[in-house]
Amino acid sequence: MEFKRVVVTGLGALTPIGNTVPEYWDSLINGVSGAAFIKSFDVEKFKTKFACEVKNFDAEGFLGRKEARKLDPFVQYALFSTEEAVKDAGLDFEKLDTSRIGVIWGSGIGGLKTFLDEVVNFAKGDGTPKFNPFFIPKMIADIAPGHISIKYGLRGPNFTTVSACASSNNSLIDAFNYLRLGKANMFITGGSEAIINEAGIGGFNAMHALSTRNDDPATASRPFDLDRDGFVAGEGAGTIILEELEHALKRGAKIYAEMVGGGMSADAYHMTAPHPEGLGASLVMKAALEDAGLVPADIDYVNVHGTSTPIGDPQEVKAITDAFGDHIYNINISSTKSMTGHLLGAAGAVEAIASILALKHDIIPPTINHFTDDPAFDPKINFTFNKAQKRVVNIAQSNGFGFGGHNASVIFKKYQQ
Amino acid sequence: MSDIASRVKAIIVEKLGVDESEVTPEASFTNDLGADSLDTVELIMEFEKEFNVAIPDDQAETIGTVGQAVAYLEKNVKA
């Protein structure tokens, strides 16, 4: 059977460097860092005292007090970025067949804050299980797409993809595949994460995964720099409206780009460490290219996973080298995590948005915070250090790798009839 | 208004996000104040916490209005 074509018709973003897509893009191309000392809890005893928090987000103003109280921040964020995307796509659901519109959402962890608060409350008591009736439905990772469907009355396929930091690349790929197969007309997809709390920071600290550059948070996320010392936790949400092309054309939708491929693989190596030769990462990029019917020479830009960890960044460069061969010297590579921090289950979504906007504007957002070259990396590779670069971008690829060894990579292309 | 009634009212206003004027003795949690089944469970738990009293499930099922909550608590909370 012939696959249907799938296009991007709406975007929404709530990020540490901007609470709307225009603000996010403006920060991306101007190299703004979202990292600062954590405001949401007392960090005195924590090894890492900073993160990329969402700023000036007024949950009660957005949702009303009653509703806000029932939603974990990861759901509040999801509803916020989705509202922007729905408006951006010009969707009037009363005029559309809502049984053919689904929501596939990524979250690596779900309602960690809710879990933490409830368990702390239980531990403080005498052992009597006094749990709030909203504990479970607030926490579960699948509740975000549930709430999106309830808000807009969308009765198509609805679920969450969970693959740690690859989660929202997986949600994009699932939505893309169902649309290609004609199983739905449209998906609200993307992901959200909200783990900047005692459990999240303490947990990742215990793994030695986070940067501890407490004397200079703004430059702590420095992918591919010699002195990188771990990732910087981020939070937020990204929403992408994926739509079957004919459906989009019929309603006169604005088209940002075409989604042309998605690849998935596993490292089958270690719980948290990436494969030292980048085997899974290389496989996933090749799989995405093959799925899109493309060859490495077609790619202009790779928005890398690039988390700024000592062992993660080199394996990804090895993987790109293996997948792209000499074409690696012709592409731009950048890690926008240098600005946003690592949004975990939302990273794929906000980085796909960065890639889509790079296609739209022909600008590559930079890898900021580069001070010292790492001799491990070939100096001929263009990491787009420190400043955005203008270049024609016809096709962009975005990678996401998660604890558990999950890899997922997506490819977007400038839309042509 | 009794002390118990005013504390009950404050909890309902806080948890259900309704206006104080709506919290009349006859008001039903589900029919008038927009509570769903989970909200109702949460309200009962809040009453238990606020008044340091255990409300058994079979008793909780008989509390559907503001007035019924106040009456139950006035009868069962030690002054």
Side-chain angles (χ1 to χ4, degrees):
Chain A
M1 72 180 280
E2 199 176 317
F3 282 145
K4 293 177 185 298
R5 292 172 71 184
V6 177
V7 289
V8 175
T9 57
L11 301 175
L14 172 62
T15 76
I17 57 171
N19 294 3
T20 64
V21 169
E23 287 168 25
Y24 171 50
W25 178 247
D26 192 59
S27 293
L28 281 176
I29 58 174
N30 287 298
V32 173
S33 167
F37 288 104
I38 291 169
K39 289 187 174 162
S40 57
F41 66 93
D42 181 2
V43 293
E44 196 198 327
K45 293 181 178 165
F46 285 74
K47 267 199 303 192
T48 294
K49 302 179 192 304
F50 60 91
C52 287
E53 289 179 292
V54 162
K55 285 124 191 126
N56 305 316
F57 174 69
D58 176 11
E60 289 191 4
F62 170 54
L63 296 159
R65 205 168 58 140
K66 183 186 172 196
E67 194 66 14
R69 211 170 52 75
K70 292 183 189 177
L71 304 176
D72 187 90
F74 93 102
V75 179
Q76 297 174 351
Y77 296 169
L79 289 170
F80 191 84
S81 68
T82 297
E83 187 164 280
E84 184 188 8
V86 165
K87 208 169 158 188
D88 182 46
L91 298 175
D92 178 355
F93 290 118
E94 287 189 1
K95 293 184 182 150
L96 298 169
D97 178 358
T98 48
S99 68
R100 298 272 303 164
I101 303 174
V103 187
I104 304 179
W105 198 256
S107 182
I109 297 182
L112 187 61
K113 171 88 174 109
T114 298
F115 184 78
L116 174 66
D117 290 348
E118 288 289 327
V119 172
V120 165
N121 189 47
F122 173 65
K124 278 184 187 158
D126 64 0
T128 310
K130 290 277 182 191
F131 289 96
N132 188 289
F134 294 102
F135 170 26
I136 302 294
K138 236 174 119 170
M139 173 196 74
I140 48 182
D142 59 288
I143 205 70
H147 279 290
I148 293 169
S149 74
I150 293 164
K151 179 171 174 179
Y152 298 105
L154 307 177
R155 296 200 162 81
N158 190 292
F159 58 92
T160 282
T161 52
V162 179
S163 50
C165 308
S167 296
S168 51
N169 272 357
N170 276 112
S171 64
L172 279 162
I173 293 168
D174 277 13
F176 172 59
N177 282 331
Y178 288 126
L179 290 167
R180 284 203 291 189
L181 292 169
K183 303 282 186 192
N185 294 336
M186 187 190 299
F187 276 100
I188 291 179
T189 181
S192 60
E193 203 78 81
I195 60 85
I196 302 177
N197 53 52
E198 295 89 331
I201 299 300
F204 284 116
N205 258 164
M207 297 172 65
H208 298 274
L210 295 178
S211 167
T212 55
R213 199 177 296 279
N214 292 315
D215 59 349
D216 192 7
T219 73
S221 184
R222 45 178 88 184
F224 309 108
D225 186 273
L226 180 65
D227 298 317
R228 65 189 183 277
D229 72 331
F231 78 81
V232 177
E235 62 173 355
T239 302
I240 294 165
I241 309 283
L242 285 183
E243 192 168 352
E244 188 271 315
L245 176 63
E246 293 305 318
H247 189 269
L249 291 174
K250 248 182 239 164
R251 67 175 190 92
K254 159 180 74 184
I255 296 175
Y256 280 95
E258 179 169 2
M259 183 164 176
V260 292
M264 297 178 276
S265 76
D267 273 12
Y269 172 69
H270 183 268
M271 246 191 321
T272 56
H275 189 281
E277 299 308 315
L279 191 59
S282 165
L283 277 175
V284 83
M285 281 184 274
K286 290 176 186 168
L289 284 167
E290 191 188 334
D291 187 52
L294 297 171
V295 294
D298 294 322
I299 301 290
D300 301 300
Y301 169 47
V302 179
N303 185 306
V304 289
H305 187 60
T307 58
S308 179
T309 60
I311 57 171
D313 293 359
Q315 68 84 19
E316 189 170 12
V317 173
K318 280 182 194 167
I320 300 170
T321 306
D322 181 61
F324 285 71
D326 281 347
H327 184 64
I328 192 171
Y329 301 122
N330 305 326
I331 59 172
N332 271 78
I333 288 171
S334 78
S335 170
T336 44
K337 287 188 182 78
S338 58
M339 297 174 273
T340 61
H342 190 357
L343 274 70
L344 309 179
V350 299
E351 287 160 26
I353 292 170
S355 306
I356 291 161
L357 294 175
L359 291 172
K360 184 183 172 205
H361 297 287
D362 288 323
I363 300 174
I364 309 287
T367 304
I368 66 163
N369 297 329
H370 185 71
F371 301 95
T372 313
D373 287 342
D374 181 340
F377 303 129
D378 185 337
K380 295 199 298 272
I381 297 172
N382 183 357
F383 289 100
T384 325
F385 282 134
N386 295 331
K387 271 197 170 355
Q389 291 175 15
K390 285 192 178 166
R391 76 172 280 167
V392 174
V393 188
N394 287 312
I395 305 181
Q397 183 162 17
S398 179
N399 291 339
F401 313 138
F403 286 161
H406 322 287
N407 309 300
S409 181
V410 293
I411 302 178
F412 297 93
K413 185 180 176 187
K414 268 197 171 98
Y415 170 68
Q416 289 168 323
Q417 286 186 349
Chain B
M1 198 191 300
S2 72
D3 170 55
I4 284 179
S6 64
R7 284 155 74 192
V8 164
K9 192 178 212 175
I11 288 171
I12 293 168
V13 167
E14 153 76 18
K15 292 294 169 192
L16 300 184
V18 291
D19 195 83
E20 248 186 68
S21 63
E22 297 172 72
V23 189
T24 60
E26 303 76 35
S28 152
F29 300 140
T30 50
N31 298 331
D32 302 316
L33 301 176
D36 63 20
S37 59
L38 295 177
D39 290 314
T40 311
V41 176
E42 193 185 30
L43 274 183
I44 297 293
M45 288 180 61
E46 286 300 316
F47 297 150
E48 291 182 320
K49 203 162 87 185
E50 173 73 16
F51 297 101
N52 194 26
V53 60
I55 306 175
D57 286 352
D58 60 335
Q59 295 294 305
E61 280 163 22
T62 68
I63 302 173
T65 67
V66 178
Q68 286 165 353
V70 173
Y72 178 87
L73 292 165
E74 282 180 342
K75 195 171 145 197
N76 290 284
V77 174
K78 292 184 200 101

